Amino acid sequence: MASLIAKKKGNQLYYYVVESARVEGQPRIVHQAYLGTADKVAALVKDCTFPPLSAAARDFGL
């Protein structure tokens, strides 16, 4: 399962996406990806454009 964590280095917070798993019965971080500072993450989200999502309901088993 992936989650977002912040690590403080000096006076700055840096954000990472981490995946955790159990290794020999203990929870461990098995993969992490660096995202940057809060300003950088906010800029990435603001610049990203997603197409509109839509859903249609259908009847099954009639």
Side-chain angles (χ1 to χ4, degrees):
M1 174 187 266
S3 60
L4 183 67
I5 64 167
K7 294 182 181 181
K8 187 172 185 177
K9 295 183 180 178
N11 292 331
Q12 191 76 351
L13 285 175
Y14 296 96
Y15 291 90
Y16 295 83
V17 173
V18 298
E19 292 182 41
S20 299
R22 289 202 172 262
V23 177
E24 298 179 8
Q26 301 293 320
R28 299 279 186 245
I29 294 174
V30 294
H31 184 265
Q32 72 178 11
Y34 175 71
L35 296 176
T37 62
D39 294 334
K40 187 174 179 182
V41 173
L44 289 173
V45 171
K46 184 178 178 183
D47 293 340
C48 187
T49 58
F50 294 100
L53 299 176
S54 64
R58 299 182 184 240
D59 292 330
F60 293 102
L62 293 176

